[in-house]
Amino acid sequence: MAALIDADRAALWADFMRLCSTNKETFGAVTKADIRAAVDAADTWADSNAASFNAAIPLPARTAFTARQKAMLLMFIIRRRYEIS
Amino acid sequence: MARTLYSFTAFSFVPTTGTFPDSVEYHTAEHRKALAYDASAVEIAAVDFVAPQGLVTPLTVVLTFAMAAATTGNVVLGAAIEAVSDGDSLDLDSATSFDTNNASAATAVPATAGFPKQVSITLTNNDSIAAGDKCRLRIQRDGAAGTDTAAGDLYLTDVELRDSG
């Protein structure tokens, strides 16, 4: 999967700020532009490292799982590791 | 001199053309309520009032807000007036007559999220408001402006409308 298009990154950026606001998770000394830069960088990193993650999944799951299932697996791991609800 | 004409809580406001900010309880235990203005869009809310007898322009609006999560950066707020007089040629069913938005200066947010801040905006553009007019006051955050740099929601808690009498 390619990196997200600009509109998707912008929507994600807005959702992230809205959710952090709802959860009262203080941003610290960062502005909207700083957060947008972080979104862009994180998406670029995810795109650049997708193959590496895929290679880390052992067979037979690597070939049996769909790309969506692998993404869900990663999402579940991150949610549990960082207690994100 | 200045006189308070009206004070409005966040839940006095209703939608108008544009995206309405979310209505939230930002302190759930104390049931403190606010309008949560998004950081990345222009969101708009309006409140109705009748222009009181004896009002003296220019009017000023004082907006009380707190940030949900930001501790740095600026916000840009705005206020606009619609004043409809007896006999005006305005079809209230289908038209509006809001005057040009009066934008605040880029205002630094408090260094602690949740701390209150007030910004004052002189309503230079006031749609020729006069006593007895049917009015609306429209409040917006210009989240799309480059000078609005603070991240996350802005909680608008209270609005005071003053005149110069």
Side-chain angles (χ1 to χ4, degrees):
Chain A
M1 175 180 283
L4 296 174
I5 63 172
D6 187 69
D8 286 342
R9 285 181 170 183
L12 189 158
W13 169 60
D15 288 346
F16 175 78
M17 288 194 291
R18 196 174 298 118
L19 182 60
C20 286
S21 297
T22 301
N23 294 342
K24 294 191 167 46
E25 295 177 16
T26 304
F27 292 123
V30 298
T31 64
K32 286 193 287 191
D34 297 328
I35 294 174
R36 178 56 198 264
V39 167
D40 293 352
D43 182 48
T44 299
W45 179 88
D47 184 54
S48 301
N49 291 278
S52 173
F53 171 65
N54 185 60
I57 298 173
L59 294 170
R62 187 194 312 158
T63 52
F65 283 2
T66 64
R68 179 180 171 83
Q69 286 173 321
K70 293 172 190 174
M72 285 174 59
L73 174 64
L74 180 59
M75 180 187 75
F76 272 90
I77 291 167
I78 290 172
R79 279 172 54 173
R80 178 55 64 100
R81 284 174 65 94
Y82 296 98
E83 299 177 346
I84 301 169
S85 59
Chain B
M1 282 292 292
R3 298 182 301 185
T4 300
L5 297 181
Y6 294 101
S7 62
F8 305 105
T9 63
F11 279 19
S12 305
F13 286 79
V14 295
T16 181
T17 303
T19 304
F20 189 68
D22 288 338
S23 300
V24 299
E25 274 194 359
Y26 67 103
H27 189 318
T28 51
E30 293 294 329
H31 301 285
R32 285 191 169 135
K33 297 174 174 59
L35 293 177
Y37 281 81
D38 200 278
S40 58
V42 177
E43 294 188 327
I44 296 173
V47 64
D48 290 75
F49 66 95
V50 173
Q53 298 299 315
L55 96 161
V56 179
T57 57
L59 305 181
T60 302
V61 67
V62 180
L63 309 174
T64 303
F65 69 91
M67 299 306 292
T71 58
T72 190
N74 299 323
V75 293
V76 179
L77 299 169
I81 287 282
E82 175 189 66
V84 183
S85 303
D86 179 27
D88 270 1
S89 299
L90 179 72
D91 186 347
L92 296 174
D93 278 346
S94 59
T96 67
S97 72
F98 277 109
D99 207 335
T100 304
N101 181 59
N102 301 277
S104 75
T107 303
V109 304
T112 302
F115 277 24
K117 174 84 174 176
Q118 290 188 320
V119 60
S120 177
I121 303 172
T122 301
L123 302 179
T124 307
N125 308 307
N126 65 14
D127 203 21
S128 302
I129 189 171
D133 283 354
K134 168 183 171 50
C135 300
R136 286 192 294 171
L137 172 64
R138 191 181 69 188
I139 304 298
Q140 69 182 59
R141 176 186 181 186
D142 195 355
T147 48
D148 186 309
T149 58
D153 288 350
L154 175 148
Y155 292 148
L156 179 71
T157 59
D158 302 278
V159 175
E160 181 188 3
L161 182 63
R162 299 174 179 169
D163 80 349
S164 301

